[in-house]
């Protein structure tokens, strides 16, 4: 009987110690199990990475101005060159957009080589780790409770997962032979990541304990591509195409400017500057320039424009045929020739109107004023009729309109108070008249 009591006391002591360890391990056990899914890690790190890429100022203002930065972007501190990566990423897409020959301006293969090189570099994985560090509490919100007392929890967690009894139960000795995607391998590596986030000073001792238990085990948590995403240019081609298709600003005469040079429209100007500066700076530009200069239709009228005939009647310009007699300036009579005058407008073209008139004429069609022939854009008109000194038509000028229902030709002076503008939907055709005799006619009066 005397030998039974010590055994009972030993049993009681063992139970108490085991129970005490179990109680203290409850929260550390939950911490051990706290692991985000592989899919969530990849999606979240990729999204944060792309948010940082697209909100780099030089690409954001041109291609992604509708994208808002993730709140964590400002906390990224990996030393990764996001600006150059963003340049190469966009350059890849530009190389696939044939509009205005922008595809010829960049070397898409060189851009791809740069991106592939970055993905293979050590800075890529360290950047991926930095993103995951920032994202961990978003992926596992309950981890924040441990972060609120991180030194204490790091000490507890390290003590539990490095104990030999715990390791023998939870970590296979041959773990070094397992694939990185093996659930246990992920658990061990995420345990090291959590230790790192709580208190990095414990990482070395915990790693050593794992390697002593499982010889040959090499942790990957701090050197792993958590993003694992192919940066296909097709993903952003829509954004690049939209930037290239940006219409030129409204013609300058509306704001009091002059200038025959304004009759060239440049599409994708910001994209062209991007290529010639940022892409060229990385040797991704070919040196070729896009064919983004679009010359518009500068004379003639919309098909509904009413033309005054020699008889005094009016007829839409599209219905006038060869041989028709037209009333010219000052009462002269001209005859429409066989030449069919039609101009087809490019995308982004505009028609213009005077005062309350619905827009009906192209910007370089001349009008007779008290100061001679004038048009909104004189340069194209002068190019076509170099014998005439065209001036710019502007607010305050006086044009003339036929006074209706009179026995003789009478003109009423009309001061231009405003010039309106309307974008046309393409395809759109402007109509004109080629005349034998006096080369003038009356449009909309």
């Amino acid at each position: 009987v005397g030998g039974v009591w010590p055994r009972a006391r030993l049993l009681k002591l063992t139970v108490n110690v085991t129970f005490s360890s179990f109680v203290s391990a409850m929260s550390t056990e939950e911490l051990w199990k706290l692991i985000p899914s592989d899919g969530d890690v990849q999606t979240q790190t990729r999204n944060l990475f792309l948010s940082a890429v697209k909100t780099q100022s030089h690409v954001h203002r041109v291609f992604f101005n509708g994208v808002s930065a993730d709140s964590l972007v400002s906390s990224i501190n990996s030393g990764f060159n996001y600006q150059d990566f963003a340049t190469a990423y966009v350059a890849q897409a530009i190389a696939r957009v044939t509009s205005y020959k922008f595809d010829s301006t960049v070397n898409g293969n060189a851009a791809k080589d740069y991106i592939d090189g970055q993905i293979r570099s050590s800075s890529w994985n360290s950047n991926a780790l930095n993103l995951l560090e920032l994202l961990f509490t978003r992926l596992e919100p309950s981890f924040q409770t441990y972060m609120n007392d991180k030194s204490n929890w790091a000490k507890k967690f390290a003590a539990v997962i490095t104990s030999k009894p715990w390791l023998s139960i939870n970590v296979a000795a041959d773990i070094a032979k397992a694939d990185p995607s093996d659930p246990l391998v992920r658990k061990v590596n995420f345990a090291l990541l959590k230790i790192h986030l709580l208190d990095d000073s414990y990482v070395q001792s915990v790693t050593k304990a794992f390697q002593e238990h499982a010889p040959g085990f090499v942790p990957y948590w701090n050197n792993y591509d958590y993003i694992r995403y192919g940066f296909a240019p097709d993903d952003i081609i829509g954004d690049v195409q939209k930037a290239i298709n940006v219409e030129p600003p409204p013609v300058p005469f509306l704001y009091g400017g002059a200038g025959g040079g304004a009759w060239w429209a440049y599409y994708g100007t910001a994209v062209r500057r991007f290529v010639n500066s940022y892409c060229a700076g990385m040797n991704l530009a070919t040196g070729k320039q896009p064919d983004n200069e679009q010359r518009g239709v500068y004379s003639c009228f919309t098909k509904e424009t009413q033309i005054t005939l020699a008889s005094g009647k009016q007829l839409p310009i599209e219905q006038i045929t060869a041989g028709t007699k037209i009333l010219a300036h000052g009462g002269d009579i001209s005859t429409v020739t066989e030449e069919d005058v039609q101009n087809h407008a490019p995308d982004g073209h505009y028609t213009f109107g005077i005062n309350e008139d619905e827009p009906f004429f192209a910007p370089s069609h001349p009008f007779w004023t008290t100061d001679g022939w004038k048009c909104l854009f004189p340069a194209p008109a002068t190019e076509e009729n170099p014998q005439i000194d065209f001036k710019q038509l502007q607010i305050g000028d006086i044009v003339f309109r036929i006074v209706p229902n009179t026995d003789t030709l009478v003109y009423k002076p009309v001061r231009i108070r405003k010039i309106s503008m309307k974008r046309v939907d393409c395809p759109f055709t402007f109509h004109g008249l080629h005349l034998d005799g006096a080369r003038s006619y009356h449009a909309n009066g």
Side-chain angles (χ1 to χ4, degrees):
V1 174
V4 173
W5 287 108
R7 179 176 175 81
R9 287 195 296 273
L10 177 62
L11 177 63
K12 182 177 180 181
L13 178 62
T14 302
V15 170
N16 285 343
V17 170
T18 303
F19 181 76
S20 175
S21 299
F22 177 73
V23 170
S24 66
M26 286 187 67
S27 292
T28 53
E29 185 67 22
E30 290 303 311
L31 185 53
W32 164 251
K33 295 177 181 178
L34 213 58
I35 302 174
S37 73
D38 193 45
D40 286 345
V41 169
Q42 182 181 354
T43 298
Q44 293 282 359
T45 52
R46 179 193 68 196
N47 289 346
L48 179 56
F49 178 79
L50 285 177
S51 179
V53 168
K54 292 181 179 181
T55 53
Q56 294 297 299
S57 60
H58 70 304
V59 295
H60 185 256
R61 61 176 174 264
V62 179
F63 305 98
F64 310 112
N65 56 19
V67 175
S68 298
D70 187 293
S71 59
L72 294 176
V73 166
S74 60
S75 300
I76 295 174
N77 185 30
S78 64
F80 184 77
N81 192 334
Y82 276 92
Q83 176 172 300
D84 283 357
F85 190 94
T87 299
Y89 185 37
V90 171
Q92 271 197 114
I94 294 174
R96 297 171 67 92
V97 177
T98 58
S99 300
Y100 309 111
K101 298 182 180 179
F102 266 93
D103 57 319
S104 69
T105 66
V106 294
N107 187 331
N109 291 330
K112 183 179 184 302
D113 288 344
Y114 175 85
I115 289 176
D116 290 344
Q118 289 299 301
I119 292 174
R120 292 191 297 267
S121 70
S122 59
S123 63
W124 179 261
N125 288 349
S126 61
N127 174 63
L129 174 62
N130 181 228
L131 299 181
L132 183 57
E133 291 170 343
L134 296 172
L135 284 164
F136 202 83
T137 54
R138 182 183 293 179
L139 289 162
E140 293 292 347
S142 60
F143 185 68
Q144 185 60 51
T145 59
Y146 298 96
M147 291 291 287
N148 293 337
D149 188 15
K150 54 186 182 180
S151 294
N152 183 40
W153 279 111
K155 182 178 180 180
K156 288 182 179 180
F157 191 41
V160 170
I161 65 176
T162 56
S163 66
K164 291 183 178 180
W166 188 92
L167 285 169
S168 64
I169 295 173
N170 293 283
V171 180
D174 61 350
I175 189 175
K177 300 178 181 179
D179 186 87
S181 62
D182 181 88
L184 179 57
V185 176
R186 289 190 78 245
K187 272 190 175 182
V188 171
N189 276 281
F190 270 94
L192 290 168
L193 173 62
K194 285 174 280 191
I195 288 288
H196 163 70
L197 293 173
L198 291 168
D199 188 338
D200 190 67
S201 65
Y202 289 94
V203 170
Q204 186 174 354
S205 60
V206 174
T207 301
K208 182 179 179 181
F210 283 158
Q211 291 176 326
E212 289 176 350
H213 172 74
F217 168 70
V218 179
Y220 65 72
W221 67 273
N222 59 344
N223 187 31
Y224 186 70
D225 181 7
Y226 293 102
I227 301 173
R228 286 180 291 153
Y229 177 69
F231 293 89
D234 287 351
D235 294 343
I236 57 170
I237 273 186
D239 301 290
V240 172
Q241 183 73 68
K242 183 178 178 182
I244 288 174
N245 287 343
V246 169
E247 295 178 14
V251 287
F253 73 87
L254 293 174
Y255 301 96
W263 43 281
W264 287 98
Y266 296 88
Y267 286 83
T269 302
V271 180
R272 182 177 182 171
R273 286 198 296 264
F274 171 81
V275 170
N276 290 337
S277 56
Y278 294 98
C279 293
M282 292 181 62
N283 295 319
L284 303 180
T286 63
K288 296 180 180 179
Q289 296 304 308
D291 185 19
N292 64 330
E293 298 178 346
Q294 297 294 304
R295 184 172 180 174
V297 175
Y298 298 104
S299 63
C300 301
F301 300 93
T302 60
K303 63 182 180 179
E304 304 88 358
T305 302
Q306 298 293 310
I307 303 300
T308 304
L309 308 182
S311 63
K313 294 182 180 180
Q314 292 187 327
L315 195 66
I317 192 170
E318 69 167 346
Q319 296 180 18
I320 293 178
T321 59
T324 303
K325 301 297 183 180
I326 302 295
L327 180 65
H329 177 251
D332 291 336
I333 304 298
S334 299
T335 304
V336 178
T337 69
E338 295 284 348
E339 184 176 338
D340 185 20
V341 181
Q342 292 188 18
N343 289 320
H344 303 287
D347 289 337
H349 200 66
Y350 291 84
T351 54
F352 301 86
I354 293 172
N355 296 341
E356 277 67 47
D357 287 344
E358 183 73 14
F360 68 97
F361 62 93
S364 282
H365 201 97
F367 289 84
W368 182 252
T369 72
T370 54
D371 195 25
W373 290 104
K374 291 189 174 185
C375 50
L376 297 176
F377 288 170
T382 301
E383 181 181 306
E384 187 174 351
N385 301 278
Q387 74 279 10
I388 301 176
D389 181 22
F390 293 101
K391 299 177 181 177
Q392 187 181 23
L393 185 70
Q394 54 193 340
I395 293 174
D397 284 337
I398 296 175
V399 294
F400 297 94
R401 174 162 280 164
I402 296 174
V403 177
N405 304 319
T406 58
D407 294 333
T408 57
L409 181 61
V410 178
Y411 290 109
K412 173 186 177 182
V414 177
R415 184 177 295 277
I416 298 177
R417 293 177 284 101
K418 66 177 181 179
I419 299 173
S420 57
M421 177 174 82
K422 180 181 180 181
R423 189 181 189 278
V424 299
D425 295 323
C426 294
F428 188 90
T429 302
F430 285 91
H431 298 262
L433 299 176
H434 187 267
L435 303 174
D436 184 13
R439 297 185 62 187
S440 64
Y441 51 97
H442 300 82
N444 279 357

